[in-house]
Amino acid sequence: MGGGVRIGVFLPAAGFPGMDPGEVLGAAVRAAVAAERAGFDDVWIAEHHFMTYGMCPSAVTLAGYVLGRTDRVTVGTAVSVLSTCHPVALAEQAAILDRVSAGRFRLGVGRGGPWVDLEVFGTGLDRYEHGFEESLDLLLAALGRERVSGEGERFRFREVTMVPRPARPVLPVVAATSAGTVRLAAARGLPMLLGMHIGDADKAAMVRAYAAAASPGRHASGTADPLDADGPPAVAGHPAQTDAPAVGHMAAGVAYVADTTREAVGALRESLPRWLGPGLAGYRPVDGRAYVPKDPVEYARLLCRLHPVGSPEHCADTMLATIERTGVRHLVLLVEGAGDPALTCRNIARLGAEVLPRVRAHA
């Protein structure tokens, strides 16, 4: 891996119109296997509830199955939603997968949103709005200590022994979309997952904010993790980056390769709105707040403009530019954008053969 760069695939199990949920999940598994065969470093599985944007309601469950179908790649959750689950239960599940996979599992967590999921699972809006910090700290305690007890506002229970415990540190990646979450991650030395809805300039700003908020001497978990042994380089034009700790941040994007950039962009601008329209409309607030989803056509155009969608050369150049501008050396790419399982596997194969070697050779 050139310069410590890691490149993975991001699988939301996207529900395009007309696709049966079983077909979608089976296609996601085949895509994960294809990614290992194509030379990707890792596979990241998303979690969504009660909607077609993503048809996997348990990223941990599907990650466990994918670990059993693969031999080399790291498999992670991007992300498991902390606002709708018990942190200790999630820690137990992560420990199981760490043990049975010989360390190939990686946990990602996020706050989630103010959605109806909070009502269905009984955790409530307060967990989302005010409980993320407590949930994250309890998760870290359950992952890292032999014994743990609940002494917070929302979790109170007697001391218990964690069985099993991970064989190695399993510190989570944290999905960060707000300044508050950036500060939480920085204070705990946890790497961030930066979303595909923002471009390189915004990602770079979040990395600089993380560096400014990090406690002296604290490094993200990626520093000591052999998956992310090399930290980000200095980035021209961003002096603060040169003083940043070596971290294992991840940047999400969309990737689709074709013979020409015009062909690739045209294909995704036609296919993505078919998924994004009904998918984004599936988010339902738990209370009476208004929710206006992104315009699917404009969002598709934005994604094609920001991310590696194009010829092999264009895709490689775009990925290298993201690495240079942000200092993030771990990219995770949504590869399901064409909406057809056969095209997804072909996309993965072409990325592996024609794009990844270029990036690794020049990063």
Side-chain angles (χ1 to χ4, degrees):
M1 295 176 296
V5 170
R6 291 186 67 84
I7 306 172
V9 299
F10 171 52
L11 300 173
F16 279 78
M19 295 183 71
D20 175 81
E23 178 187 2
V24 172
L25 292 169
V29 172
R30 292 192 295 276
V33 173
E36 178 172 72
R37 186 166 54 244
F40 283 86
D41 298 303
D42 32 56
V43 172
W44 296 84
I45 297 167
E47 175 175 306
H48 296 89
H49 299 274
F50 318 119
M51 61 192 311
T52 60
Y53 184 86
M55 290 194 173
C56 175
S58 174
V60 170
T61 300
L62 190 54
Y65 185 78
V66 169
L67 283 165
R69 291 288 304 275
T70 54
D71 300 305
R72 175 187 58 80
V73 289
T74 297
V75 181
T77 63
V79 291
S80 297
V81 181
L82 265 184
S83 298
T84 54
C85 71
H86 197 292
V88 176
L90 182 59
E92 290 179 321
Q93 295 162 18
I96 292 171
L97 295 184
D98 175 71
R99 289 284 185 172
V100 301
S101 69
R104 286 197 296 126
F105 175 70
R106 192 138 186 226
L107 180 64
V109 297
R111 185 190 304 267
W115 312 126
V116 70
D117 317 4
L118 301 166
E119 174 186 317
V120 175
F121 297 117
T123 53
L125 191 59
D126 178 69
R127 272 281 299 278
Y128 163 72
E129 292 183 330
H130 307 294
F132 184 64
E133 182 174 4
E134 182 183 344
S135 297
L136 181 60
D137 286 342
L138 180 55
L139 175 69
L140 294 176
L143 287 169
R145 299 178 189 171
E146 182 177 354
R147 299 180 64 82
V148 65
S149 60
E151 301 173 355
E153 180 180 348
R154 294 163 188 84
F155 300 100
R156 301 191 65 84
F157 55 89
R158 71 188 73 180
E159 189 175 69
V160 293
T161 302
M162 294 303 299
V163 180
R165 295 178 63 203
R168 65 183 185 97
V170 180
L171 298 180
V173 180
V174 178
T177 60
S178 68
T181 304
V182 171
R183 290 192 294 270
L184 281 179
R188 290 153 182 80
L190 302 175
M192 299 183 294
L193 169 61
L194 305 175
M196 65 183 184
H197 63 291
I198 58 174
D200 291 345
D202 288 330
K203 287 182 169 76
M206 295 179 78
V207 170
R208 294 195 301 274
Y210 180 103
S215 302
R218 291 298 299 272
H219 296 263
S221 62
T223 305
D225 192 328
L227 300 183
D228 300 294
D230 294 310
V235 179
H238 301 301
Q241 186 70 15
T242 61
D243 297 324
V247 294
H249 300 317
M250 298 161 49
V254 174
Y256 189 74
V257 64
D259 292 340
T260 68
T261 296
R262 178 185 291 273
E263 179 185 350
V265 170
L268 285 205
R269 285 180 59 174
E270 188 280 327
S271 63
L272 283 175
R274 295 192 295 109
W275 165 52
L276 293 170
L280 294 173
Y283 284 104
R284 295 171 55 198
V286 69
D287 54 11
R289 73 186 67 190
Y291 167 65
V292 179
K294 292 182 176 70
D295 179 273
V297 173
E298 290 303 317
Y299 192 30
R301 288 177 178 170
L302 175 69
L303 294 174
C304 290
R305 187 169 69 249
L306 294 179
H307 300 305
V309 177
S311 67
E313 297 82 1
H314 176 84
C315 288
D317 288 346
T318 301
M319 292 164 66
L320 288 166
T322 292
I323 292 168
E324 179 183 0
R325 292 167 182 161
T326 66
V328 176
R329 302 182 68 81
H330 191 167
L331 308 182
V332 290
L333 307 173
L334 189 151
V335 293
E336 301 172 309
D340 178 283
L343 291 178
T344 294
C345 287
R346 188 173 74 178
N347 184 37
I348 290 169
R350 291 198 67 176
L351 287 166
E354 302 173 52
V355 178
L356 269 59
R358 297 171 188 256
V359 176
R360 289 171 175 152
H362 295 96

